[in-house]
Every structure is written in structure tokens, then in C-alpha cells.
């Protein structure tokens, strides 16, 4: 087992132990955010008929400038057996199939109608405002490839072709185990030495921002027995995320409980602030993270180490893209450990202005509760001046859009 490694080595070790999952078939409606494991082919032409793009009149192009008889109408979902011959028009609605003989659709705002006759504009281009059958997508075309993400638009495309079951790389089974004798559930009034369990809900929310619903969330008091039971329940999960009891305290029994559980420790402690005592182990194909209990340490541990492993599992790019901004205030880097600093990026004058949200240590999530991004400061970087260009990462679940 490695100890006191730097954050880059730590993420390398995590990713080296992470696996890709195998594909499985699911109802497409349950796959938002997942990656397709198959290509999707068009089962029919799209559009399936010559479709009017406008509310107007289906006409012959050679009738431009003339006055023609309106023989009837065809609405979306309707059909017409009428043949549009020279000297006649059909009133037509957006999305309706063009009747036989239609050469163009003239928008209703471009004609003058008097009873059953319309006077057409002087120029009509053949084919105007008609989307021909199969112009968007011919039967048999590959519309999505294996590796594409199921976004709402991808889902719409899939169901358009009548497909409701797809092969995807599914989300992992994930267990969250919080630990600590001092913790009570959020609805409970804490006693004099108690605090509310906020890491459990935070970790579940972070997982949900990756489209993962935790398989279960449970709490263990600081005894080997309770930890053992919680781990036994989690034994079929792909990921086990524990929080608390990983430092050097007398009741910090997570590392021992994990060894007993059959896990192989990979590293313990990373030279970072917050989150130094993080513990990482594997058990067969299972990844087990012991995150420190302090809320910001726990948050950082999930953001930096758990999330990339989950993304890799789901066949996504493991590491999120970085953005660039301008530091809004000087930052004084202290100490020998890499600092991951919560910050708030705001879009002003076409740039991201990034303000570090300085708190009082790794238990102080209040300072960070309005953060939407994270900065990284390397040891020895000294003071970084206000106005410096800085790279940052968006936080899980934080939208880059202004509130
Ligand atoms: P530990 O890592 O168990 O030593 O805990 C470090 C600090 O984080 C202690 O002050 C704990 O009370 C606090 N803590 C541990 N688990 C949680 C949790 N689930 N929610 C909120 N605070 C926690
Ligand atoms: Mg504890």
C-alpha cells in the first residue's frame, strides 16, 4: 500500500484499478446520461412522406402570379387523394403530407385569398417549403453510434424509430456508508454532542449528478460489528463509498474493517488539502473509497477520485474538461500540500471571473455552499495575484449558468 502520495499519482492509481462495465439492455427511458453500446438505425424514411414545412397552399410552381382554385385542405395527420393539377391548390398545414402533384408550398402570408380562390406570388421555387420523403434520414441510416451519450435529443431520435429498448453501459451499483457515533439523521434534533449527517445526502446527490442512483445508503456506528454488517450488505456493489473513520483516531476502524472484508488497500493519505486521509482499496472488481468525514474532504474525495472512476465504469471520459477564468482576488498559498479550493465562477464581460470561497477548514461547508467550481494550487506557488489566469473545474451538479 502507498501512503502520502500526490494527487496526480492518486488519480492514476484509481483509474488503473477502475474497470469498464459490460453492456446491458434497458428501457431507453431509464438510460438518460448513459452511453450507447450499439448503433441505432433508422427503421423508416424520415420524414416518411413529402412534408409541408409551412401553413399555406400546396401548388404547381408554374401557377406563380396566377389565381387558382382551392380544392380542399389537408391537415397534419390527414391524407388527401386530391391531385394538385395546374390551376388548383390545396390548403395545407405544417407537418401534413403534400398531396400528389404538389411542386411547392406557398406560405399563407404570401397569398391573397378570396373565398375559394387564392392569388399566388409571382415567384415560386419548385420544392420550396417541402421536406421530401427521406430528406432528413433514409431508412437504414445510422443515426447514433455506440459511444454516443443518451441525451434528451438522442432519446427523441431513438423513439422516433420505434426503439424503446437499447443496449447501454449501465450505471454502477453503488453503496454509501456513513460512519460515526455522533451523527443523527437530518430530521432529528441533535443532542449536545451530536451533529446531523450531511455527507450521506451529499454523496447521494453527487452520485445522482452522474446519473447514478445509489443502490443503498446506510449508517454504521463506530464499531467493527456495525461496519462489518454495512460492508456485508454492500458486498455485491461495484462501488462502496464510506465516509468517516479513516484517520488516525482510536475509533477510526474503516481501514481495519476493509482489510477484514477482504479488500486490498491501494493507498492511504494523499498530500492534498482538504481530504488528506482518503483511503482507497479494491476487492476483486469492486472499488472501495474511504473518504474522510469532514464535509469538504468528503466532497473533494468524491469529486476528484470517485467521479472519474464512475465515469470510466460507464465508458465516459473519466476526467472532466477544464475551463479558464480570471482570479477575482489574490490567493495566498500556504503549506506543503496541493490545495483544492472551492470557488465561484461568474460570467462577466465574456470571461469567467473566479472568486475563491475561503472557509475555516475542511469542516466549513457553509463557505463552500455557493461554490460552483474548484481551483487547484500547487505547493510552492506562493501568492497568485488577482487578475491571473486560472484553470478551474466545474463542480458536480453545479451549473455554469448564472443563478
Ligand atoms: P472522521 O473522519 O470520522 O474523523 O470525521 C471527521 C469530522 O467529520 C468529524 O467532526 C465528524 O463529526 C464529521 N463527520 C463525519 N461524518 C460526517 C457526516 N456523515 N456528515 C457530517 N459530518 C460528518
Ligand atoms: Mg468519525
Amino acid at each position: 500500500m502507498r501512503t502520502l502520495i500526490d494527487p496526480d499519482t492518486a488519480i492514476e492509481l484509481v483509474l488503473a484499478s477502475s474497470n469498464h462495465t459490460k453492456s446491458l439492455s434497458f428501457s431507453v427511458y431509464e438510460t438518460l446520461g448513459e452511453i450507447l453500446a450499439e448503433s441505432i438505425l433508422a427503421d423508416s424514411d424520415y420524414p416518411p412522406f413529402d412534408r409541408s414545412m409551412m401553413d399555406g397552399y400546396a401548388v404547381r410552381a408554374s401557377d406563380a402570379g396566377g389565381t387558382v382554385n382551392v380544392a380542399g385542405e389537408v391537415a397534419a395527420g390527414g391524407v388527401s387523394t386530391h391531385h394538385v393539377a395546374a390551376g388548383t391548390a390545396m390548403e395545407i398545414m405544417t407537418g401534413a403530407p403534400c398531396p400528389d402533384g404538389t411542386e411547392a408550398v406557398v406560405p399563407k402570408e404570401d397569398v391573397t385569398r378570396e373565398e375559394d380562390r387564392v392569388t399566388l406570388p409571382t415567384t415560386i421555387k419548385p420544392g420550396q417549403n417541402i421536406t421530401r420523403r427521406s430528406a432528413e434520414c433514409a431508412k437504414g441510416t445510422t443515426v447514433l453510434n455506440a459511444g454516443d451519450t443518451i441525451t434528451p435529443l438522442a432519446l427523441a431520435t431513438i423513439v422516433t424509430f420505434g426503439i424503446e429498448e437499447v443496449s447501454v453501459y449501465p450505471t454502477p451499483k453503488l453503496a454509501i456508508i456513513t460512519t460515526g457515533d455522533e451523527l443523527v439523521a437530518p430530521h432529528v434534533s441533535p443532542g449536545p454532542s451530536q451533529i446531523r449527517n450531511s455527507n450521506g445526502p451529499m454523496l447521494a446527490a453527487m452520485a445522482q449528478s452522474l446519473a447514478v442512483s445509489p443502490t443503498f445508503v446506510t449508517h454504521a456506528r463506530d464499531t467493527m460489528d456495525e461496519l462489518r454488517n454495512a460492508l456485508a450488505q454492500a458486498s455485491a456493489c461495484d462501488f462502496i463509498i464510506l465516509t468517516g473513520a479513516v484517520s488516525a483516531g482510536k475509533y477510526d476502524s474503516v481501514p481495519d474493517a476493509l482489510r477484514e472484508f477482504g479488500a486490498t488497500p491501494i493507498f492511504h493519505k494523499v498530500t492534498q488539502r482538504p481530504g488528506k486521509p482518503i483511503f482507497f482499496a479494491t476487492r476483486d472488481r469492486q472499488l472501495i473509497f474511504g473518504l474522510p468525514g469532514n464535509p469538504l474532504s468528503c466532497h473533494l474525495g468524491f469529486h476528484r477520485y470517485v467521479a472519474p472512476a464512475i465515469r470510466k465504469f460507464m465508458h465516459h471520459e473519466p476526467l472532466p474538461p477544464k475551463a479558464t477564468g480570471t482570479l477575482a482576488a489574490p490567493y495566498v498559498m500556504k503549506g506543503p500540500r496541493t490545495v483544492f479550493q472551492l470557488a465561484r465562477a461568474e460570467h462577466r464581460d465574456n470571461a469567467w471571473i473566479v472568486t475563491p470561497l475561503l472557509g475555516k477548514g475542511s469542516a466549513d461547508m457553509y463557505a463552500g455552499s455557493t461554490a460552483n467550481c474548484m481551483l487547484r494550487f500547487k505547493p510552492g506557488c506562493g501568492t497568485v495575484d488577482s487578475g491571473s489566469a486560472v484553470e478551474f473545474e466545474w463542480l458536480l451538479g453545479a451549473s455554469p449558468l448564472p443563478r
Side-chain angles (χ1 to χ4, degrees), residues 177-180 182-183 195-201 203 219 222 243-249 251-252 277 291-295 298 362-363 365:
I177 303 173
T178 58
T179 70
E182 75 281 28
L183 298 172
I195 59 166
R196 293 196 175 94
N197 178 351
S198 56
N199 289 353
L203 291 170
H219 182 72
D222 287 316
T243 170
V246 281
S247 344
Y251 299 102
D252 288 345
L291 307 180
N294 268 318
C298 178
S362 45
M365 68 186 142

Side-chain angles (χ1 to χ4, degrees), residues 231-282:
L231 287 169
Q233 283 180 70
S235 67
C237 287
D238 304 297
F239 284 77
I240 305 179
I241 320 296
L242 297 113
T243 170
V246 281
S247 344
K250 189 169 168 194
Y251 299 102
D252 288 345
S253 29
V254 160
D256 286 344
L258 286 177
R259 282 189 190 88
E260 191 194 286
F261 183 56
T264 307
I266 308 290
F267 65 75
H268 191 187
K269 299 193 180 114
V270 174
T271 54
Q272 62 186 10
R273 185 156 55 93
K276 179 176 161 195
I278 183 171
F279 186 85
F280 174 60
T282 59

